[in-house]
């Protein structure tokens, strides 16, 4: 399998290149379970963030980064927008979004208790990779519906056109890979 080598916050990773459509492939970046990379990237990002009250991420791949950033910022907690409405949720806020890395629409959900934690607060949105920006824009909309004030968006990597987003704080650019058709 082909791979793309990156150095991110001083940590080298070989990312497998995988097709996501008939015309495009991505270098698959997954932080889940990678403690060394998560700690290094959080340390590299934390001092670039504006003053914040609460970090918010979407389930699931941004969770380790939000956890580590929260710890470095001495925050007691962070908020995770879930992918489905859970039985324990009362009056959930729900929003749907389509991302480049998913085949179907996704749901983002905030429980009423989590939504209350955001009201009137300065929020930093956290993700592992931002590509089209649709997922993080949906997360911003959800946070704003809850009454939060998004002061920054951060990710480890900006993929494709995301590196043109002026309001995104990120560490490295991740290219998209065109798939070339082979002649028959």
């Amino acid at each position: 399998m082909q791979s793309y080598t990156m150095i991110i916050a001083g940590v080298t990773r070989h990312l497998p290149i995988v097709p996501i459509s008939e015309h495009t492939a991505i270098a698959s970046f997954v932080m889940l379970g990678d403690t060394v990379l998560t700690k290094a990237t959080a340390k590299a990002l934390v001092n670039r963030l504006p003053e914040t009250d609460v970090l918010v991420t979407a389930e699931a791949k941004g969770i380790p980064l939000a956890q580590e950033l929260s710890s470095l910022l001495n925050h007691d907690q962070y908020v995770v927008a879930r992918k489905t409405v859970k039985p324990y949720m009362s009056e959930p806020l729900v929003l749907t979004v389509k991302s480049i890395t998913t085949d179907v629409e996704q749901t983002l959900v905030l429980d009423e208790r989590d939504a209350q934690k955001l009201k009137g607060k300065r929020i930093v949105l956290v993700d592992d990779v931002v590509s089209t920006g649709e997922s993080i824009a949906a997360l911003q909309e959800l946070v704003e519906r809850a009454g939060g004030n998004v002061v920054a968006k951060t990710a480890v990597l900006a993929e494709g056109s995301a590196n043109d987003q002026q309001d995104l704080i990120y560490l490295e650019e991740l290219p998209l890979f065109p798939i070339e058709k082979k002649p028959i």
Side-chain angles (χ1 to χ4, degrees):
M1 172 177 274
Q2 271 190 305
S3 66
Y4 180 74
T5 301
M6 289 193 78
I7 300 173
I8 310 160
V11 179
T12 302
R13 291 294 180 261
H14 305 285
L15 310 177
I17 297 176
V18 296
I20 58 167
S21 74
E22 66 178 286
H23 302 291
T24 306
I26 61 170
S28 179
F29 177 76
V30 179
M31 291 182 66
L32 290 172
D34 193 333
T35 305
V36 171
L37 183 62
T38 301
K39 286 181 175 291
T41 56
K43 187 176 177 184
L45 283 168
V46 72
N47 292 324
R48 297 175 63 189
L49 300 178
E51 199 167 327
T52 180
D53 301 310
V54 182
L55 301 173
V56 177
T57 192
E59 191 176 38
K61 293 191 323 182
I63 292 173
L65 182 60
Q67 169 73 36
E68 190 64 26
L69 285 170
S70 183
S71 178
L72 292 172
L73 291 166
N74 294 313
H75 286 188
D76 292 337
Q77 57 191 348
Y78 59 95
V79 171
V80 177
R82 304 298 303 265
K83 288 184 178 180
T84 59
V85 175
K86 304 294 182 186
Y88 64 79
M89 292 180 172
S90 61
E91 298 184 42
L93 289 176
V94 181
L95 188 69
T96 58
V97 62
K98 179 119 173 64
S99 166
I100 190 173
T101 56
T102 58
D103 291 333
V104 296
E105 282 190 338
Q106 292 183 4
T107 303
L108 292 176
V109 182
L110 282 177
D111 179 62
E112 180 184 30
R113 289 179 296 258
D114 285 334
Q116 287 301 315
K117 295 173 188 174
L118 307 181
K119 192 170 188 166
K121 302 293 186 189
R122 296 168 296 188
I123 309 299
V124 171
L125 304 179
V126 178
D127 207 347
D128 61 338
V129 179
V130 173
S131 190
T132 64
E134 290 179 31
S135 295
I136 207 160
L139 189 58
Q140 179 171 353
E141 183 179 336
L142 189 65
V143 165
E144 289 172 349
R145 282 188 189 176
N149 176 31
V150 175
V151 296
K153 301 172 192 170
T154 191
V156 175
L157 303 175
E159 181 176 59
S161 62
N163 58 32
D164 295 332
Q165 293 182 20
Q166 300 298 320
D167 63 344
L168 180 64
I169 300 166
Y170 63 93
L171 297 177
E172 301 292 338
E173 294 179 10
L174 184 62
L176 293 173
F177 300 88
I179 297 175
E180 297 178 21
K181 296 278 186 191
K182 294 188 173 139
I184 300 176

